Coordinates of all heavy atoms in Angstrom, one line a residue:
H56 N -7.4 -8.6 8.7 CA -6.7 -8.9 7.4 C -5.1 -8.8 7.5 O -4.4 -9.6 7.2 CB -7.3 -8.2 6.2 CG -8.6 -8.5 5.9 ND1 -9.0 -9.5 5.1 CD2 -9.9 -7.9 6.1 CE1 -10.4 -9.6 4.9 NE2 -10.8 -8.6 5.6
A122 N 8.5 18.4 -4.0 CA 9.2 17.9 -5.3 C 8.2 17.0 -6.0 O 8.2 17.0 -7.2 CB 10.5 17.2 -4.8
G132 N 2.0 14.9 -16.8 CA 1.1 15.7 -17.4 C 0.2 16.6 -16.6 O -0.9 17.1 -17.0
T173 N 4.0 -6.4 -5.8 CA 4.5 -5.1 -5.3 C 5.6 -4.6 -6.2 O 6.5 -5.3 -6.6 CB 4.8 -5.1 -3.8 OG1 5.3 -4.0 -3.4 CG2 5.9 -6.4 -3.6
R200 N -18.8 -0.1 -4.9 CA -18.5 1.2 -5.6 C -16.9 1.5 -5.5 O -16.6 2.5 -4.9 CB -19.5 2.3 -5.1 CG -20.8 2.1 -5.4 CD -21.7 3.2 -5.0 NE -21.9 2.9 -3.5 CZ -21.6 3.8 -2.5 NH1 -21.0 5.0 -2.8 NH2 -21.8 3.5 -1.3

Side-chain angles (χ1 to χ4, degrees):
H56 292 280
T173 172
R200 292 177 284 117

